[in-house]
Amino acid sequence: MVPHLVTALTGPLLDLEKKILAATPAIERWFRMEWQEHTPPFYCSVDLRNAGYKLAPVDTNLFPGGFNNLATEMLPLAVQAAMAAIDKYCPDARNLLLVPEGHTRNPHYLQNVARLMQIFRQTGLHVRLGSLSPEITQPTPLALPDGNMLVVEPLVRSANGRRVGLKDFDPCTILLNNDLSAGIPSILENIHEQSLLPPLHAGWALRRKSNHLAAYDEVAKKFGKLIDVDPWMVNPFHSKCGAINFDEDQGVECLADNVTMLLAKIRKKYKEYGIKEQKPFVILKPDAGTYGMGILTIKDASEVRELTRAQRQKMSVIKDGVEISDVIIQEGVPTFENIKDAVAEPVVYMIDRYVVGGFYRIHAERGIDQNLNAPGSQYVPLAFAQQHAVPDLKAKPGTAAPNRFYVYGVVARLGLIAASLEMERTDPNPEVY
């Protein structure tokens, strides 16, 4: 199933697609070798932007919450990947405890939780839900839109204090689908007898996008060398400003200077590749945080100095009331894909090292240079099913959906490698690895 997609088929991306397809054996071998050296995150989703002249990841999420948006044809692939992932951590696993977000009344999010439970049950695991929310003091039913029911239960620490589970449920593996924006709960600390996935330092209480982007720079350089392309084709420029307080006007000059510098670098690349139809822009986003909160599109440094009161408020606090003090400035990658006149961006989902599907995030009220992860966004599933995952080497570049999906999967996996490097380098207990 391929959604009716209008996509940018201009020169450079076709050239990138051609080079990736021609280098498929070398690329797949390189991925294999990387996974011998590094451990992939348990699961991950990557937001991509196809600008016609480049294809780049703009966000990498280690607690993906949209499994319900994947096409049902992709479920067998997800189950296989989940089996491979579980085998690494606990080959004889019988029980899996899934810890969802605290705002578990959101019906779309609950469908994601139900889909995850379905995937892991198919791998041969008993799956139950444990909540970090203090309001959950007993088994609590939550209604799903399809009429089914989920039950969340309070987490408990074992009598010896060494394990976490439910009152009558002792899991081998604890899978977090909660990004820990509000901080690390004490009940999850010092767990040494069970696998806690992803690890605590993957949560937004500790994780920083700047660490991920630094790792991705390295991966993009290696990949560029491997297939002989400019790494910029798969990598947005970025920089970082710390000690910012938007309410008190602190650090705004640092931000304006970095915006000026980054816009100049982008202009230089546009000139090099003859890109005239697009005006350079950057995206301001918090160094920690998710849900598309605290994000601004900026086209000139003067806009930073003249932020309105509403914009300052938007940039001051993100999910769970966390204050912003460090900001990433990232090259804006416009999206030239759209579905039925709505701007679209592909999101690729992975479990372990495998692409298990994806979808287009579309937003009818947003422009090509804006963040689409906002209220009003919709999702169109993409089936990276067998016929789509295997490239058609005889097709002309830009004409075959399987080839485009394969290329999406390759660039998303670059983000996956970067995430594994990031997790290794920021691990507070590296000797446990």
Side-chain angles (χ1 to χ4, degrees), residues 101 103 178-182 289-291 293 317-322:
E101 286 283 356
H103 64 259
N178 180 314
D179 63 25
L180 307 180
S181 289
T290 182
Y291 285 114
M293 297 177 80
V317 176
I318 49 168
K319 186 186 168 204
D320 291 332
V322 176

Side-chain angles (χ1 to χ4, degrees), residues 11 70 160 255 271 284-285 325 350 372 407 417:
L70 302 185
N160 64 10
L255 208 50
K271 196 172 175 188
L284 301 189
K285 54 172 81 168
S325 60
M350 290 159 283
L372 304 187
V407 171
I417 293 178

Side-chain angles (χ1 to χ4, degrees), residues 268-303:
K268 199 173 167 189
K269 279 292 179 190
Y270 280 13
K271 196 172 175 188
E272 184 184 335
Y273 287 100
I275 298 157
K276 297 189 174 94
E277 64 281 1
Q278 180 58 43
K279 192 175 164 56
F281 67 99
V282 296
I283 301 292
L284 301 189
K285 54 172 81 168
D287 198 7
T290 182
Y291 285 114
M293 297 177 80
I295 292 179
L296 284 179
T297 300
I298 300 285
K299 294 178 180 172
D300 191 87
S302 62
E303 295 173 39

Side-chain angles (χ1 to χ4, degrees), residues 212-230:
H212 178 79
L213 296 175
Y216 189 82
D217 283 346
E218 293 174 38
V219 174
K221 275 183 193 148
K222 271 188 176 179
F223 182 72
K225 201 172 173 185
L226 178 76
I227 69 164
D228 189 29
V229 297
D230 180 350

Side-chain angles (χ1 to χ4, degrees), residues 6-75:
V6 182
T7 188
L9 297 176
T10 52
L13 191 67
L14 295 189
D15 191 44
L16 179 67
E17 186 177 297
K18 209 167 15 181
K19 283 191 166 164
I20 287 176
L21 291 170
T24 295
I27 290 169
E28 294 304 332
R29 180 178 181 275
W30 177 67
F31 277 128
R32 270 206 324 276
M33 304 305 283
E34 288 293 318
W35 296 131
Q36 285 176 21
E37 300 283 324
H38 309 288
T39 305
F42 187 84
Y43 53 12
C44 175
S45 69
V46 175
D47 296 2
L48 298 173
R49 284 288 184 115
N50 169 3
Y53 52 84
K54 74 187 288 178
L55 176 68
V58 292
D59 199 30
T60 301
N61 185 358
L62 298 179
F63 300 88
F67 278 92
N68 54 308
N69 297 319
L70 302 185
T72 46
E73 306 97 286
M74 302 311 296
L75 280 180

Side-chain angles (χ1 to χ4, degrees), residues 129-156:
L129 299 176
S131 177
L132 290 167
S133 180
E135 300 98 65
I136 304 290
T137 54
Q138 59 188 42
T140 306
L142 299 170
L144 289 167
D146 61 6
N148 286 320
M149 200 72 77
L150 294 177
V151 177
V152 285
E153 302 173 64
L155 290 178
V156 292

